[in-house]
Amino acid sequence: MKNFFVFFLLIGVFYSSIAQEEVKVPFSVAISAHINKYNQRIDEAYEDNDMERATFLFDSLVDNHLKGTYMDNFQVNQLKGESLSLNSFEKPIYLVTYAAWCVPGIGEIPAFNDLVERFHDQIDFVVLFWDTEENLKSKADDYSEFAHLVYVDEKSNQNSYIINKLKHALGFPMTYFMDPDKKILDIRKVITHHSSESLSNSYNIHFNSLSKGVSLLIADLDTRPPEEKDAEMVTEDLSKPTGPRDDRTEEERRIDEEYEKYRREKDSLKKLRDN
């Protein structure tokens, strides 16, 4: 009788440990399961010129089905050196997908470069061009030397299944935020604005948007066990960009203040939990 009791106890412990173990769902599996329904509904929203609904649908797809999945490993090409895999990046990843024919806002790349210069020790900033080597070469000088510029030429790429999901399912330009284990923390569309915006306004718009992604990655690093973090990592104040910020509108200033309030409240709650 005693032996039976021990046996069932061990079985219970075994299945309990399995239940507690995280199931790592690949990004490609999750998006394949839900993208058709999403595309059908968002097409209807665009036909009705309902941009708010389209945005809601995209956010719903990301929040309910894609966050928490794990990015599939795939090969990318460098301008210099051999090809490398996504898994070769060991830091949190700020991945931007682009193509040479995309026209960024005038302040987008300067804002991106400023963040790269300040945080490349903590984050791997990867700009992935769905393009040829020659087309990437024409854009390389625009980016910081600390950004990882890579490309995928579909004609020669062997990872077509994940390329199809990354490029064709969600489109581009798009940003993916991943922790060091390639767990997706968020996916966001690259913000756009009217081409008539001044350099200063464009810079401010993009810095505010891009810096929130950096904050997300830094915040995730702060929640990791001490042994997983670099002791020399220092979190900077993202509310102070190095570029021009003298001509913010009242609306932009209000948004900045709300975001700073949110960050302070979040930091306070974290300190309370830690204590």
Side-chain angles (χ1 to χ4, degrees):
M1 188 70 177
K2 182 178 180 181
N3 289 338
F4 275 109
F5 175 77
V6 173
F7 172 77
F8 284 112
L9 179 62
L10 291 174
I11 290 293
V13 171
F14 173 75
Y15 281 106
S16 176
S17 64
I18 291 178
Q20 293 176 3
E21 188 174 319
E22 181 184 11
V23 177
K24 294 187 176 182
V25 179
F27 167 81
S28 61
V29 171
I31 198 167
S32 295
H34 301 284
I35 191 63
N36 289 337
K37 179 173 65 175
Y38 159 79
N39 279 339
Q40 179 182 351
R41 293 183 177 181
I42 200 170
D43 286 345
E44 293 171 356
Y46 281 131
E47 289 176 4
D48 295 336
N49 200 30
D50 190 348
M51 297 300 105
E52 183 177 354
R53 176 68 175 168
T55 299
F56 170 82
L57 287 168
F58 177 82
D59 292 341
S60 177
L61 172 69
V62 172
D63 292 339
N64 296 323
H65 303 295
L66 302 183
K67 283 184 181 179
T69 64
Y70 287 78
M71 183 59 71
D72 306 67
N73 190 32
F74 60 96
Q75 294 291 120
V76 294
N77 301 306
Q78 304 180 90
L79 288 178
K80 295 181 180 179
E82 298 180 353
S83 64
L84 69 160
S85 68
L86 187 71
N87 285 353
S88 65
F89 295 105
E90 298 180 350
K91 304 173 188 175
I93 298 179
Y94 190 125
L95 172 66
V96 186
T97 60
Y98 243 114
W101 54 263
C102 293
V103 180
I106 190 172
E108 179 181 337
I109 295 179
F112 179 78
N113 284 341
D114 281 348
L115 290 168
V116 174
E117 295 285 336
R118 294 166 64 181
F119 293 99
H120 68 272
D121 287 338
Q122 297 158 268
I123 297 171
D124 280 322
F125 292 86
V126 182
V127 185
L128 169 58
F129 279 80
W130 304 117
D131 228 315
T132 63
E133 180 180 7
E134 289 303 315
N135 285 339
L136 176 55
K137 284 181 179 179
S138 67
K139 299 291 182 181
D141 291 340
D142 296 339
Y143 288 89
S144 165
E145 63 177 312
F146 298 111
H148 301 278
L149 299 184
V150 296
Y151 69 96
V152 169
D153 188 341
E154 286 185 271
K155 295 178 180 178
S156 58
N157 190 273
Q158 302 300 312
N159 304 117
S160 58
Y161 72 101
I162 182 58
I163 300 307
N164 182 60
K165 302 308 177 187
L166 274 174
K167 179 181 178 181
H168 302 290
L170 290 183
F172 59 95
M174 194 73 64
T175 51
Y176 300 79
F177 306 100
M178 292 168 267
D179 73 8
D181 299 322
K182 312 306 177 289
K183 182 178 182 179
I184 295 177
L185 305 177
D186 203 0
I187 301 173
R188 301 174 187 174
K189 293 183 178 180
V190 173
I191 194 170
T192 59
H193 58 67
H194 198 278
S195 59
S196 63
E197 285 286 354
S198 67
L199 172 59
S200 180
N201 284 344
S202 177
Y203 178 96
N204 294 338
I205 291 169
H206 288 292
F207 189 93
N208 286 340
S209 176
L210 298 174
S211 63
K212 292 174 183 177
V214 173
S215 291
L216 175 66
L217 295 174
I218 295 295
D220 178 72
L221 274 177
D222 289 340
T223 64
R224 288 179 166 267
E227 62 270 16
E228 294 186 20
K229 296 187 291 184
D230 187 337
E232 297 181 356
M233 288 184 177
V234 179
T235 302
E236 298 187 37
D237 185 357
L238 288 174
S239 67
K240 299 177 181 179
T242 56
R245 291 191 59 85
D246 297 330
D247 59 350
R248 286 183 299 169
T249 64
E250 288 298 319
E251 178 67 7
E252 290 172 338
R253 188 172 290 105
R254 181 184 65 79
I255 293 173
D256 286 349
E257 290 171 353
E258 288 180 356
Y259 181 58
E260 281 307 302
K261 181 180 178 181
Y262 160 78
R263 290 183 66 232
R264 288 195 298 270
E265 291 175 350
K266 185 175 181 180
D267 289 342
S268 297
L269 288 173
K270 181 178 183 301
K271 289 178 181 178
L272 286 174
R273 287 196 300 268
D274 292 342
N275 293 331

